[in-house]
Amino acid sequence: MATINSMNRINYYHFTSLCSLRNFVHNAHKSTVPKSMNVIFFSTSGRSKMVEEKISEQEQWMKYEREFLMKEAGFLSRSLYRSCWRSVKIMRPGNDYDEEEFARREKEETEGRGSISSPPVDRENELWSRAEYYFAHLREHYNSDFDCLDKNPWKESNIEIFLHYLRTGEQRRKYILNDYKFADPYKSKFPVERVNNFEKRAAELIRVTYKVNNWILPSEYSKIEEEFDPDFDDESGDDEATILYKFLKKK
């Protein structure tokens, strides 16, 4: 193992690789890494200023990017909300399909074939109740769909939940109009490209955020768990960080 005085003789690639590994192990398990790595880790004073400046630039970018994405998320949510609201307004007066259903039920009632548990046909009340049901659903879920982005920093799951709300919301809007036999004048209004762009930029923001803080992304950690042999050096008595370090060094 090289000492502090001989550190300059270690090539740059080997040095930075070991430092990255030390941070990786330490932050992944929040435990003590092998003491043999401490000498290498604390020899970074010559590059500390450059690292700090780079981190500062990244933090400024992260702040700007989050503000932009929050505004974009607001636009996407409002866009979907408006399309859903207008779709319910289209359904409010009913259509020919509704009238056919009302006429069929009225005929069954007069012929004595109607269900005893079903109330008499009331066109206005039924059309109003249907529209109010969907209006109430929109009002209830609009704010909650956006709440998943309140946390800072974001996690991968926060973005996944938000995008799930957007995409499934649009799918359900289309399904409901089609199910009640209404034409859909807003089927081309959903901003697919902006949603996809939001997804890409949000993923990059999360990646940089985790890198700056020396965190492991859940998606990456799952890969490590799949590759990591739980029986590796199981009887050595080492802590989890040391075991993982030995495992990575072996690979």
Side-chain angles (χ1 to χ4, degrees), residues 150-218:
D150 287 344
K151 296 181 180 180
N152 189 18
W154 288 336
K155 299 178 180 179
E156 290 173 312
S157 59
N158 298 136
I159 303 302
E160 290 171 358
I161 291 172
F162 176 69
L163 293 173
H164 172 77
Y165 284 144
L166 284 181
R167 288 167 174 155
T168 58
E170 174 63 6
Q171 291 173 0
R172 290 171 182 170
R173 186 196 67 78
K174 291 180 176 179
Y175 172 81
I176 291 170
L177 282 179
N178 182 68
D179 190 47
Y180 287 111
K181 314 298 183 186
F182 284 91
D184 185 2
Y186 306 112
K187 59 184 178 181
S188 62
K189 298 295 184 180
F190 188 70
V192 177
E193 292 186 4
R194 291 184 72 162
V195 172
N196 293 338
N197 183 57
F198 174 90
E199 182 176 20
K200 292 178 182 178
R201 292 182 66 162
E204 179 64 10
L205 172 61
I206 293 173
R207 186 192 69 79
V208 174
T209 301
Y210 272 63
K211 182 178 180 181
V212 168
N213 290 281
N214 288 323
W215 299 338
I216 302 177
L217 288 167

XYZ file of all heavy atoms in Angstrom, residues 150-218:
604
model
N -43.399 17.059 -4.566
C -43.089 18.030 -3.511
C -41.764 17.728 -2.819
O -41.125 18.617 -2.270
C -44.212 18.063 -2.471
C -45.458 18.760 -2.998
O -45.348 19.473 -4.018
O -46.538 18.585 -2.400
N -41.372 16.462 -2.818
C -40.154 16.072 -2.108
C -38.912 16.580 -2.835
O -38.890 16.702 -4.050
C -40.097 14.547 -1.986
C -41.224 13.960 -1.155
C -41.107 12.452 -1.054
C -42.237 11.883 -0.211
N -42.149 10.401 -0.107
N -37.889 16.884 -2.034
C -36.628 17.353 -2.591
C -35.475 16.732 -1.799
O -35.402 16.909 -0.584
C -36.556 18.881 -2.518
C -35.365 19.442 -3.264
O -34.775 18.773 -4.102
N -34.998 20.670 -2.952
N -34.585 16.000 -2.419
C -34.505 15.740 -3.862
C -35.502 14.674 -4.302
O -36.018 13.920 -3.489
C -33.064 15.264 -4.047
C -32.747 14.582 -2.752
C -33.429 15.394 -1.693
N -35.728 14.620 -5.602
C -36.608 13.606 -6.153
C -35.929 12.246 -6.146
O -34.714 12.128 -6.209
C -36.976 13.947 -7.593
C -37.923 15.092 -7.727
C -38.798 15.541 -6.789
C -38.094 15.942 -8.862
N -39.509 16.616 -7.272
C -39.095 16.873 -8.535
C -37.510 15.999 -10.117
C -39.509 17.855 -9.433
C -37.920 16.964 -11.013
C -38.915 17.881 -10.672
N -36.773 11.238 -6.079
C -36.323 9.864 -6.281
C -36.887 9.370 -7.602
O -37.809 9.957 -8.157
C -36.805 8.962 -5.138
C -36.280 9.354 -3.769
C -36.842 8.428 -2.707
C -36.334 8.801 -1.321
N -36.910 7.907 -0.273
N -36.366 8.287 -8.085
C -36.879 7.706 -9.320
C -38.367 7.398 -9.197
O -39.140 7.590 -10.139
C -36.102 6.434 -9.664
C -34.664 6.686 -10.097
C -33.878 5.400 -10.262
O -33.934 4.552 -9.351
O -33.207 5.249 -11.298
N -38.776 6.921 -8.022
C -40.179 6.553 -7.817
C -41.107 7.760 -7.891
O -42.265 7.632 -8.333
C -40.343 5.852 -6.465
O -39.913 6.702 -5.406
N -40.635 8.950 -7.475
C -41.468 10.160 -7.545
C -41.832 10.477 -8.988
O -42.990 10.797 -9.296
C -40.740 11.344 -6.923
C -40.432 11.161 -5.452
O -39.341 11.469 -4.993
N -41.384 10.648 -4.689
N -40.860 10.383 -9.872
C -41.105 10.659 -11.291
C -41.981 9.580 -11.907
O -42.876 9.867 -12.712
C -39.776 10.771 -12.058
C -38.893 11.860 -11.430
C -40.021 11.077 -13.515
C -39.536 13.229 -11.392
N -41.738 8.344 -11.527
C -42.538 7.239 -12.058
C -44.004 7.397 -11.691
O -44.892 7.153 -12.515
C -41.997 5.907 -11.533
C -40.642 5.530 -12.121
C -40.028 4.325 -11.425
O -40.653 3.830 -10.460
O -38.941 3.884 -11.838
N -44.281 7.823 -10.455
C -45.662 8.007 -10.011
C -46.327 9.137 -10.792
O -47.462 9.005 -11.265
C -45.700 8.308 -8.494
C -45.290 7.061 -7.697
C -47.087 8.764 -8.068
C -45.107 7.324 -6.222
N -45.617 10.255 -10.937
C -46.179 11.398 -11.661
C -46.496 11.036 -13.108
O -47.574 11.345 -13.617
C -45.200 12.576 -11.606
C -45.646 13.766 -12.403
C -46.737 14.526 -11.997
C -44.984 14.121 -13.575
C -47.159 15.615 -12.740
C -45.403 15.212 -14.316
C -46.493 15.958 -13.900
N -45.565 10.379 -13.776
C -45.780 9.991 -15.170
C -46.894 8.955 -15.297
O -47.639 8.945 -16.280
C -44.485 9.443 -15.770
C -43.359 10.458 -15.933
C -42.065 9.763 -16.363
C -43.735 11.542 -16.937
N -47.010 8.105 -14.287
C -48.112 7.125 -14.283
C -49.459 7.843 -14.226
O -50.396 7.486 -14.955
C -47.963 6.187 -13.088
C -49.137 5.277 -12.891
N -49.343 4.156 -13.666
C -50.181 5.341 -12.011
C -50.462 3.559 -13.280
N -50.981 4.248 -12.281
N -49.546 8.868 -13.374
C -50.788 9.651 -13.286
C -51.120 10.294 -14.638
O -52.267 10.271 -15.084
C -50.650 10.737 -12.225
C -50.759 10.246 -10.804
C -49.982 10.807 -9.786
C -51.649 9.238 -10.468
C -50.083 10.356 -8.482
C -51.751 8.785 -9.162
C -50.970 9.340 -8.166
O -51.073 8.906 -6.874
N -50.125 10.875 -15.260
C -50.361 11.547 -16.541
C -50.841 10.575 -17.620
O -51.863 10.805 -18.276
C -49.081 12.230 -17.017
C -48.657 13.540 -16.353
C -47.371 14.040 -16.993
C -49.734 14.601 -16.467
N -50.099 9.517 -17.797
C -50.377 8.611 -18.907
C -51.648 7.795 -18.700
O -52.442 7.627 -19.625
C -49.170 7.694 -19.131
C -47.994 8.454 -19.746
C -46.704 7.683 -19.697
N -45.638 8.394 -20.423
C -44.346 8.243 -20.180
N -43.932 7.413 -19.232
N -43.445 8.932 -20.884
N -51.844 7.303 -17.495
C -53.079 6.546 -17.246
C -54.290 7.471 -17.227
O -55.389 7.063 -17.621
C -52.997 5.776 -15.917
O -52.744 6.688 -14.828
C -51.898 4.738 -15.961
N -54.084 8.723 -16.790
C -55.182 9.684 -16.805
C -55.676 9.933 -18.217
O -56.886 9.987 -18.476
N -54.743 10.090 -19.152
C -55.112 10.284 -20.548
C -55.776 9.040 -21.125
O -56.758 9.129 -21.875
C -53.872 10.652 -21.363
C -54.086 10.742 -22.865
C -55.056 11.829 -23.289
O -55.500 12.615 -22.428
O -55.372 11.892 -24.494
N -55.250 7.874 -20.770
C -55.850 6.629 -21.253
C -57.283 6.475 -20.746
O -58.188 6.079 -21.509
C -55.008 5.434 -20.794
C -53.647 5.349 -21.470
C -52.769 4.266 -20.874
O -53.162 3.558 -19.936
N -51.566 4.119 -21.402
N -57.532 6.804 -19.493
C -58.877 6.674 -18.931
C -59.834 7.697 -19.540
O -61.012 7.405 -19.748
C -58.812 6.844 -17.409
C -58.132 5.678 -16.707
C -57.878 5.958 -15.253
N -57.189 4.851 -14.602
C -56.686 4.904 -13.383
N -56.797 6.026 -12.665
N -56.081 3.849 -12.862
N -59.326 8.897 -19.791
C -60.167 9.915 -20.425
C -60.674 9.422 -21.778
O -61.868 9.530 -22.093
C -59.362 11.212 -20.601
C -60.170 12.383 -21.128
C -59.249 13.492 -21.636
N -58.498 13.083 -22.815
C -59.013 13.048 -24.041
N -60.277 13.386 -24.257
N -58.265 12.653 -25.063
N -59.771 8.871 -22.573
C -60.152 8.344 -23.879
C -61.132 7.177 -23.748
O -62.101 7.065 -24.504
C -58.905 7.878 -24.643
C -57.982 8.999 -25.081
C -56.778 8.433 -25.824
C -55.884 9.536 -26.349
N -54.697 9.000 -27.066
N -60.852 6.317 -22.780
C -61.709 5.139 -22.595
C -63.141 5.536 -22.218
O -64.111 4.978 -22.752
C -61.121 4.236 -21.505
C -62.045 3.111 -21.117
C -62.122 1.951 -21.886
C -62.859 3.214 -19.988
C -62.978 0.921 -21.542
C -63.726 2.184 -19.633
C -63.783 1.040 -20.421
O -64.651 0.026 -20.077
N -63.268 6.502 -21.317
C -64.607 6.905 -20.859
C -65.418 7.516 -21.993
O -66.606 7.189 -22.178
C -64.484 7.895 -19.675
C -63.939 7.163 -18.450
C -65.836 8.535 -19.356
C -63.554 8.077 -17.315
N -64.807 8.404 -22.767
C -65.524 8.990 -23.903
C -65.948 7.901 -24.895
O -67.072 7.908 -25.405
C -64.644 10.017 -24.615
C -64.506 11.385 -23.949
C -63.590 12.278 -24.770
C -65.864 12.052 -23.775
N -65.054 6.989 -25.163
C -65.367 5.909 -26.102
C -66.451 4.986 -25.546
O -67.335 4.532 -26.295
C -64.104 5.108 -26.403
C -64.339 4.001 -27.395
O -64.609 4.234 -28.577
N -64.239 2.754 -26.936
N -66.401 4.724 -24.254
C -67.372 3.825 -23.629
C -68.791 4.386 -23.692
O -69.756 3.628 -23.844
C -66.981 3.574 -22.176
C -67.801 2.462 -21.533
O -67.948 1.405 -22.169
O -68.283 2.656 -20.406
N -68.912 5.698 -23.587
C -70.232 6.353 -23.670
C -70.559 6.814 -25.096
O -71.517 7.551 -25.301
C -70.289 7.547 -22.713
C -70.389 7.153 -21.259
C -69.325 7.381 -20.384
C -71.539 6.558 -20.752
C -69.419 7.023 -19.045
C -71.632 6.197 -19.412
C -70.566 6.431 -18.567
O -70.648 6.083 -17.238
N -69.755 6.374 -26.055
C -70.009 6.631 -27.483
C -69.928 8.114 -27.858
O -70.704 8.604 -28.673
C -71.383 6.082 -27.905
C -71.691 4.693 -27.415
C -70.707 3.668 -27.959
C -71.094 2.262 -27.498
N -70.089 1.247 -27.888
N -68.965 8.833 -27.259
C -68.758 10.237 -27.611
C -67.526 10.371 -28.487
O -66.534 9.643 -28.302
C -68.573 11.107 -26.360
C -69.834 11.390 -25.603
C -70.253 10.549 -24.576
C -70.608 12.499 -25.916
C -71.416 10.814 -23.879
C -71.778 12.775 -25.220
C -72.183 11.926 -24.203
N -67.567 11.306 -29.416
C -66.375 11.621 -30.200
C -65.354 12.311 -29.294
O -65.717 12.983 -28.329
C -66.742 12.528 -31.370
N -64.090 12.142 -29.615
C -63.014 12.712 -28.792
C -62.292 13.814 -29.564
O -61.396 13.531 -30.358
C -62.033 11.625 -28.386
C -60.962 12.120 -27.425
O -61.013 13.305 -27.052
O -60.084 11.311 -27.056
N -62.634 15.076 -29.306
C -61.965 16.175 -30.011
C -60.589 16.516 -29.428
O -59.883 17.372 -29.965
C -62.944 17.340 -29.835
C -63.608 17.062 -28.535
C -63.718 15.561 -28.439
N -60.196 15.856 -28.328
C -58.939 16.200 -27.661
C -57.909 15.082 -27.717
O -56.909 15.135 -27.002
C -59.219 16.547 -26.193
C -60.270 17.609 -26.021
C -61.504 17.290 -25.454
C -60.057 18.914 -26.457
C -62.484 18.262 -25.320
C -61.040 19.882 -26.325
C -62.252 19.548 -25.751
O -63.223 20.512 -25.625
N -58.138 14.075 -28.563
C -57.225 12.930 -28.574
C -55.828 13.295 -29.047
O -54.861 12.580 -28.747
C -57.801 11.815 -29.439
C -58.066 12.193 -30.881
C -58.722 11.027 -31.607
C -59.057 11.382 -33.058
N -59.724 10.254 -33.748
N -55.690 14.385 -29.782
C -54.363 14.804 -30.253
C -53.768 15.915 -29.382
O -52.694 16.435 -29.689
C -54.446 15.288 -31.702
O -55.296 16.420 -31.809
N -54.450 16.258 -28.303
C -53.992 17.368 -27.454
C -52.977 16.938 -26.402
O -52.276 17.775 -25.834
C -55.189 18.020 -26.757
C -56.213 18.651 -27.698
C -55.621 19.823 -28.446
C -56.665 20.516 -29.315
N -56.095 21.662 -30.062
N -52.908 15.649 -26.116
C -51.982 15.196 -25.080
C -50.542 15.401 -25.555
O -50.144 14.870 -26.603
C -52.215 13.721 -24.762
C -51.440 13.225 -23.584
C -51.755 13.639 -22.304
C -50.381 12.335 -23.752
C -51.045 13.174 -21.199
C -49.667 11.875 -22.670
C -49.999 12.289 -21.387
N -49.735 16.169 -24.810
C -48.368 16.523 -25.256
C -47.375 15.386 -25.053
O -46.542 15.428 -24.146
C -48.027 17.737 -24.386
C -48.803 17.501 -23.122
C -50.074 16.806 -23.534
N -47.437 14.397 -25.913
C -46.603 13.201 -25.754
C -45.108 13.552 -25.744
O -44.353 13.066 -24.901
C -46.891 12.194 -26.890
C -45.965 10.979 -26.770
C -48.349 11.752 -26.846
N -44.674 14.392 -26.680
C -43.252 14.729 -26.766
C -42.769 15.466 -25.522
O -41.659 15.214 -25.036
C -42.994 15.571 -28.013
C -43.178 14.809 -29.323
C -42.782 15.638 -30.530
O -42.299 16.779 -30.336
O -42.953 15.151 -31.664
N -43.601 16.363 -25.003
C -43.183 17.101 -23.796
C -43.135 16.179 -22.585
O -42.274 16.344 -21.705
C -44.131 18.279 -23.546
C -43.998 19.371 -24.586
C -44.854 20.578 -24.284
N -44.360 21.366 -23.160
C -44.708 22.618 -22.918
N -45.558 23.236 -23.747
N -44.227 23.278 -21.888
N -44.028 15.216 -22.533
C -43.997 14.240 -21.435
C -42.724 13.404 -21.519
O -42.044 13.178 -20.509
C -45.241 13.325 -21.478
C -45.104 12.186 -20.461
C -46.501 14.128 -21.179
N -42.385 12.940 -22.708
C -41.169 12.142 -22.884
C -39.912 12.964 -22.574
O -38.954 12.455 -21.980
C -41.091 11.611 -24.309
C -42.174 10.590 -24.603
O -42.737 9.974 -23.695
N -42.486 10.402 -25.878
N -39.911 14.239 -22.969
C -38.772 15.111 -22.685
C -38.645 15.358 -21.179
O -37.527 15.375 -20.634
C -38.940 16.447 -23.406
C -37.741 17.363 -23.213
O -36.612 17.000 -23.526
N -37.990 18.558 -22.680
N -39.786 15.543 -20.521
C -39.781 15.699 -19.060
C -39.181 14.463 -18.400
O -38.368 14.574 -17.475
C -41.207 15.917 -18.552
C -41.320 15.946 -17.055
C -41.187 17.137 -16.359
C -41.562 14.780 -16.339
C -41.285 17.166 -14.969
C -41.654 14.792 -14.957
C -41.520 15.994 -14.271
N -39.566 13.306 -18.871
C -39.070 12.056 -18.294
C -37.547 11.957 -18.431
O -36.846 11.572 -17.482
C -39.741 10.874 -18.975
C -39.331 9.525 -18.419
C -40.092 8.383 -19.054
O -40.644 8.568 -20.158
O -40.144 7.296 -18.441
N -37.010 12.302 -19.595
C -35.565 12.217 -19.838
C -34.798 13.216 -18.968
O -33.778 12.871 -18.356
C -35.268 12.472 -21.309
C -35.776 11.379 -22.242
C -35.492 11.732 -23.693
C -36.030 10.670 -24.640
N -35.807 11.023 -26.061
N -35.285 14.460 -18.910
C -34.571 15.477 -18.133
C -34.657 15.203 -16.639
O -33.697 15.447 -15.896
C -35.109 16.867 -18.479
C -34.783 17.293 -19.898
C -35.270 18.682 -20.235
N -34.601 19.726 -19.474
C -34.588 21.014 -19.811
N -35.196 21.388 -20.946
N -33.953 21.913 -19.070
N -35.787 14.702 -16.194
C -35.932 14.365 -14.775
C -35.002 13.213 -14.398
O -34.391 13.224 -13.318
C -37.385 14.001 -14.463
N -34.879 12.236 -15.283
C -33.979 11.107 -15.023
C -32.530 11.584 -14.918
O -31.772 11.118 -14.065
C -34.122 10.065 -16.126
N -32.144 12.522 -15.789
C -30.791 13.059 -15.740
C -30.557 13.874 -14.472
O -29.481 13.794 -13.860
C -30.527 13.921 -16.981
C -29.141 14.556 -17.029
C -28.010 13.548 -17.111
O -28.286 12.345 -17.330
O -26.844 13.968 -16.962
N -31.547 14.648 -14.066
C -31.421 15.419 -12.826
C -31.224 14.492 -11.632
O -30.371 14.745 -10.770
C -32.676 16.278 -12.621
C -32.789 16.993 -11.262
C -31.619 17.956 -11.056
C -34.117 17.738 -11.156
N -31.994 13.443 -11.572
C -31.869 12.497 -10.457
C -30.506 11.811 -10.492
O -29.859 11.631 -9.457
C -33.006 11.453 -10.523
C -34.347 12.143 -10.259
C -32.781 10.346 -9.497
C -35.553 11.247 -10.465
N -30.045 11.447 -11.681
C -28.744 10.787 -11.809
C -27.622 11.687 -11.284
O -26.770 11.243 -10.504
C -28.477 10.419 -13.272
C -27.209 9.595 -13.483
C -26.839 9.518 -14.944
N -26.400 10.816 -15.458
C -25.187 11.324 -15.256
N -24.293 10.663 -14.532
N -24.855 12.506 -15.748
N -27.631 12.967 -11.685
C -26.604 13.908 -11.238
C -26.723 14.162 -9.741
O -25.711 14.240 -9.034
C -26.720 15.235 -12.020
C -25.757 16.274 -11.453
C -26.438 15.008 -13.496
N -27.940 14.303 -9.250
C -28.154 14.529 -7.817
C -27.561 13.407 -6.985
O -26.873 13.639 -5.987
C -29.656 14.660 -7.509
O -30.211 15.752 -8.257
C -29.887 14.903 -6.024
N -27.808 12.183 -7.408
C -27.280 11.034 -6.672
C -25.754 10.964 -6.788
O -25.060 10.611 -5.828
C -27.914 9.748 -7.205
C -29.211 9.389 -6.512
C -30.320 10.227 -6.593
C -29.333 8.219 -5.772
C -31.506 9.917 -5.963
C -30.513 7.889 -5.131
C -31.606 8.747 -5.232
O -32.776 8.428 -4.598
N -25.239 11.319 -7.946
C -23.787 11.266 -8.142
C -23.085 12.298 -7.264
O -22.055 11.994 -6.642
C -23.455 11.515 -9.609
C -21.965 11.439 -9.916
C -21.695 11.645 -11.393
C -20.213 11.572 -11.710
N -19.935 11.786 -13.150
N -23.614 13.528 -7.236
C -23.018 14.589 -6.420
C -23.002 14.216 -4.941
O -22.053 14.519 -4.209
C -23.772 15.924 -6.631
C -23.365 16.958 -5.590
C -23.517 16.457 -8.035
N -24.052 13.540 -4.496
C -24.159 13.166 -3.081
C -23.573 11.786 -2.769
O -23.671 11.327 -1.630
C -25.629 13.210 -2.655
C -26.176 14.624 -2.595
O -25.941 15.355 -1.632
N -26.904 15.030 -3.633
N -22.971 11.167 -3.818
C -22.398 9.823 -3.638
C -23.442 8.820 -3.149
O -23.170 7.989 -2.280
C -21.209 9.861 -2.673
C -19.997 10.517 -3.282
O -19.730 10.355 -4.470
N -19.272 11.268 -2.478
N -24.653 8.910 -3.712
C -25.718 7.957 -3.411
C -25.796 6.931 -4.527
O -25.300 7.161 -5.634
C -27.071 8.662 -3.287
C -27.141 9.679 -2.191
C -26.351 9.752 -1.083
C -28.043 10.788 -2.109
N -26.704 10.842 -0.314
C -27.745 11.490 -0.922
C -29.081 11.259 -2.920
C -28.450 12.625 -0.531
C -29.785 12.389 -2.535
C -29.468 13.069 -1.345
N -26.428 5.823 -4.227
C -26.641 4.792 -5.245
C -28.106 4.836 -5.665
O -29.006 4.797 -4.835
C -26.306 3.392 -4.698
C -24.867 3.339 -4.219
C -26.554 2.332 -5.764
C -24.496 2.012 -3.593
N -28.344 4.917 -6.958
C -29.710 4.893 -7.467
C -30.336 3.540 -7.153
O -29.687 2.499 -7.263
C -29.726 5.117 -8.976
C -29.411 6.529 -9.467
C -29.148 6.509 -10.974
C -30.564 7.476 -9.156
N -31.606 3.534 -6.754
C -32.276 2.250 -6.482
C -32.172 1.279 -7.650
O -31.992 0.081 -7.450
C -33.733 2.672 -6.235
C -33.623 4.060 -5.701
C -32.472 4.682 -6.440
